[in-house]
Amino acid sequence: DDDDDDAANPVESWLSLYVGVGGNVAKEALPSALYLGVYEAVKSALLKTPQGAAVPLAVYLVAGGAGEICGSFVRAPAEAVKSLVQAGVTTSFADACGYIVATDVSRKRVARAWSASVWRDVPMGAIQIALFELLKTYILNSPSISIDVNTLQAEAMLGAIGGLVGSGVTTPLDL
């Protein structure tokens, strides 16, 4: 009985919760790097213009959306590969990569999945990073608030708030 095995080795049972985490981290690393790199480049360029400097919220939203679109070009196929391996359709990363490009049908499925994720992820990414930047700027410009916004904890909290609001706004797009 599998339940008896889990009870006999609780450490192994607990560690089994993390099976697949490495693949998920690998799947998100490059798209996240692209997202932030494009975001910073677009933000910097737009904030240097008189129009961008006048409306930083619009700059953060546009830059966040641009970053998310670029990241999604890598994230969608990576998600397809991860799902194929997790579901046991293929047995390896290489087999899954071959599977998603092997036929016109599989390429169309990845494109359709990418399209659906863009409708969810672009608004989410734009809202999350814009709120993060606005909160950080507000705190920096408020003498009565003494929080070092450049610490890991503060940035994580600001990002979490942005993510909470962004997901709340965009969840209907994901249904």
Side-chain angles (χ1 to χ4, degrees), residues 24 44 55 70 75 82 85 88 110 112 130 152 161 163:
N24 241 355
S44 295
V55 277
C70 291
R75 187 176 293 112
K82 179 191 70 78
V85 173
V110 171
R112 192 170 47 244
L152 177 60
I161 293 168

Side-chain angles (χ1 to χ4, degrees), residues 7-171:
N9 194 344
V11 172
E12 199 171 297
S13 178
W14 183 80
L15 290 175
S16 72
L17 295 172
Y18 294 94
V19 171
V21 168
N24 241 355
V25 169
K27 173 187 74 78
E28 290 296 329
L30 181 57
S32 296
L34 282 170
Y35 167 74
L36 289 173
V38 170
Y39 168 76
E40 287 294 336
V42 171
K43 178 183 84 169
S44 295
L46 291 177
L47 286 175
K48 290 177 184 172
T49 67
Q51 299 86 356
V55 277
L57 174 59
V59 168
Y60 301 147
L61 289 168
V62 169
E68 195 59 60
I69 287 172
C70 291
S72 73
F73 281 114
V74 176
R75 187 176 293 112
E79 180 65 36
V81 167
K82 179 191 70 78
S83 295
L84 289 169
V85 173
Q86 280 183 331
V89 174
T90 61
T91 57
S92 72
F93 172 80
D95 288 345
C97 288
Y99 187 91
I100 67 169
V101 297
T103 66
D104 192 43
V105 170
S106 60
R107 288 187 298 274
K108 285 180 180 177
R109 284 183 186 148
V110 171
R112 192 170 47 244
W114 171 80
S115 163
S117 72
V118 164
W119 285 104
R120 175 197 64 219
D121 295 345
V122 169
M124 167 60 188
I127 292 167
Q128 180 177 19
I129 198 79
L131 192 51
F132 169 87
E133 294 281 9
L134 289 173
L135 288 169
K136 191 171 182 178
T137 301
Y138 177 78
I139 291 168
L140 286 170
N141 292 326
S142 298
S144 62
I145 301 175
S146 61
I147 296 172
D148 181 0
V149 293
N150 294 314
T151 65
L152 177 60
Q153 295 87 352
E155 289 203 346
M157 182 58 71
L158 296 174
I161 293 168
L164 176 69
V165 173
S167 64
V169 170
T170 61
T171 294

